[in-house]
Amino acid sequence: MRLMRMRAVARKEVWHILRDARTLALALVIPLLMLMLFGYALTLDVDNVPLIVWDQDETPASRDLISSFSASRYFMVVRAGRNYPEIERAVDAREVLAGLVIPRGFSGKVASGTDSSVQLIVDGSDSNTAAIAIGYAEGVVSAFSEKVAVETLRRVGGRMPDTPVDLRPRVWFNTDLESRNYIIPGLIAIIMMLLSALLTSMTVAREWERGTMEQLISTPVTRAELIIGKLIPYLGIGIIDVLMVVLVGEFMFGVPLRGNVLLVFATGIEFLVGALSIGLMVSVFTRSQLLANQLAMVLTYVPSLLLSGFTFSVDNMPPVLQAISRFVPATYFIRLMRGIYLKGIGLEYLAFEAGVLILFAVVPLAVAVLAFRKKIT
């Protein structure tokens, strides 16, 4: 394998990319577009849940409970209700996500120390958001109940009870619990897989469709030189895209990079080689640009988006899908990125994931080289 011939193939591919403005635009604009969409639109945080309140008691105690909800960052009291049909209409019209009903006699029961129930009606069509909102409401009511108990004891001059367990949570790595800090490091894998589906999946197939493969076959260029030479320019574009994601995440979204930036790019190059090699492998087997592009999307982008832990936790998937996720390379790359970004850890903890990515980089490239035949069939 000669470097000069490989460089000639790479130079030919670079000229093709420069002449095809659409390919270059896809390679540079789509990552930024995805980053903006995912960074701003995709969030797992549930804040300012719109709430309608039907206060049947209308006493200082009930208003104090309502103030506890409105003072919380998780709820936003948008209107008052007068009956159940009004709450139902507000939920159906998507004006609110939840309704709080405070029954008559609430104040008297609170003052006497008797258990008093309040009702929370939640729109369960979005089960995840509804479950989180219920958890927030339970926290608000629990804090209100504790405050009432303390005030009652102080009023009667009783001794403050000792708390047997005092939970003091301390969050590591993502202190503010911002879902954006969790999403953007994993987005690098999704962008790289999408690029492989859009770019390298058509390189070899394009040569066959345009009739230029016959000229390449007649040259002394070997199979390995041709495949690697075609991969190099797209590897350079991928590195530029990784750099853009890192810079935009750092300066626009404020995502902290606590680990080694060189390790981000080193593991990113491993993953890029594997992702681009899958595209080349598909292109070699299909010899059709349209079919290669569609097949590459199914084999790379879709599993990376759905089965890698980027969108849904792998631990919450059925056992069959958990087993399949172990064969999705993005699963290991996302673990690497989140470990480096959020925890600041290195290969002493992530050596297995890095080793899997090396295997991922070598196997598809070797298959693409072995599958390519320098002959017209």
Side-chain angles (χ1 to χ4, degrees), residues 269-342:
I269 290 173
E270 287 181 3
F271 185 72
L272 272 171
V273 171
L276 296 172
S277 297
I278 288 180
L280 284 170
M281 181 179 66
V282 170
S283 187
V284 167
F285 279 112
T286 60
R287 296 191 178 188
S288 166
Q289 293 188 70
L290 178 61
L291 180 58
N293 183 262
Q294 293 175 342
L295 185 58
M297 287 285 288
V298 173
L299 293 177
T300 59
Y301 178 68
V302 174
S304 298
L305 184 65
L306 300 178
L307 300 177
S308 65
F310 172 74
T311 308
F312 313 105
S313 173
V314 174
D315 295 332
N316 294 333
M317 295 179 185
V320 174
L321 293 182
Q322 290 187 31
I324 295 174
S325 70
R326 294 190 178 95
F327 297 93
V328 178
T331 302
Y332 304 96
F333 185 62
I334 289 175
R335 290 179 192 169
L336 272 165
M337 289 296 100
R338 287 172 177 165
I340 297 170
Y341 258 87
L342 300 179

Side-chain angles (χ1 to χ4, degrees), residues 111-362:
S112 64
T114 307
D115 290 342
S116 178
S117 300
V118 294
Q119 185 180 41
L120 184 72
I121 301 171
V122 182
D123 180 3
S125 55
D126 184 347
S127 58
N128 183 63
T129 303
I132 295 174
I134 291 172
Y136 289 158
E138 289 174 344
V140 172
V141 172
S142 177
F144 175 80
S145 301
E146 184 177 345
K147 184 179 72 170
V148 169
V150 170
E151 290 176 351
T152 302
L153 285 172
R154 285 176 178 170
R155 187 170 59 251
V156 301
R159 178 180 177 273
M160 296 295 294
D162 295 329
T163 304
V165 179
D166 183 15
L167 176 65
R168 299 185 180 183
R170 180 180 178 184
V171 180
W172 287 4
F173 312 130
N174 187 9
T175 308
D176 298 327
L177 297 178
E178 290 282 348
S179 60
R180 186 178 297 165
N181 296 343
Y182 179 78
I183 290 170
I184 289 182
L187 190 59
I188 299 176
I190 307 303
I191 290 174
M192 294 305 101
M193 278 300 189
L194 180 61
L195 280 178
S196 70
L198 290 175
L199 299 178
T200 57
S201 61
M202 298 183 291
T203 53
V204 177
R206 183 178 58 240
E207 301 284 0
W208 286 110
E209 289 187 355
R210 293 184 177 180
T212 55
M213 183 58 76
E214 289 83 352
Q215 300 175 13
L216 289 174
I217 290 175
S218 63
T219 65
V221 176
T222 64
R223 295 181 297 177
E225 292 167 351
L226 178 64
I227 297 298
I228 296 175
K230 283 185 168 294
L231 183 143
I232 290 174
Y234 298 104
L235 179 61
I237 293 175
I239 294 173
I240 294 173
D241 288 331
V242 172
L243 177 61
M244 285 194 303
V245 173
V246 171
L247 293 177
V248 172
E250 176 75 24
F251 296 106
M252 181 173 291
F253 294 110
V255 178
L257 176 53
R258 305 189 187 281
N260 191 331
V261 66
L262 295 179
L263 187 58
V264 171
F265 281 94
T267 54
I269 290 173
E270 287 181 3
F271 185 72
L272 272 171
V273 171
L276 296 172
S277 297
I278 288 180
L280 284 170
M281 181 179 66
V282 170
S283 187
V284 167
F285 279 112
T286 60
R287 296 191 178 188
S288 166
Q289 293 188 70
L290 178 61
L291 180 58
N293 183 262
Q294 293 175 342
L295 185 58
M297 287 285 288
V298 173
L299 293 177
T300 59
Y301 178 68
V302 174
S304 298
L305 184 65
L306 300 178
L307 300 177
S308 65
F310 172 74
T311 308
F312 313 105
S313 173
V314 174
D315 295 332
N316 294 333
M317 295 179 185
V320 174
L321 293 182
Q322 290 187 31
I324 295 174
S325 70
R326 294 190 178 95
F327 297 93
V328 178
T331 302
Y332 304 96
F333 185 62
I334 289 175
R335 290 179 192 169
L336 272 165
M337 289 296 100
R338 287 172 177 165
I340 297 170
Y341 258 87
L342 300 179
K343 298 181 181 180
I345 56 180
L347 294 180
E348 66 274 15
Y349 296 102
L350 300 171
F352 174 75
E353 286 79 4
V356 172
L357 289 186
I358 292 175
L359 188 65
F360 170 59
V362 171

Side-chain angles (χ1 to χ4, degrees), residues 32-42 253:
L32 286 177
L33 181 62
M34 288 185 63
L35 189 60
M36 297 300 175
L37 288 176
F38 279 92
Y40 284 115
L42 180 60
F253 294 110

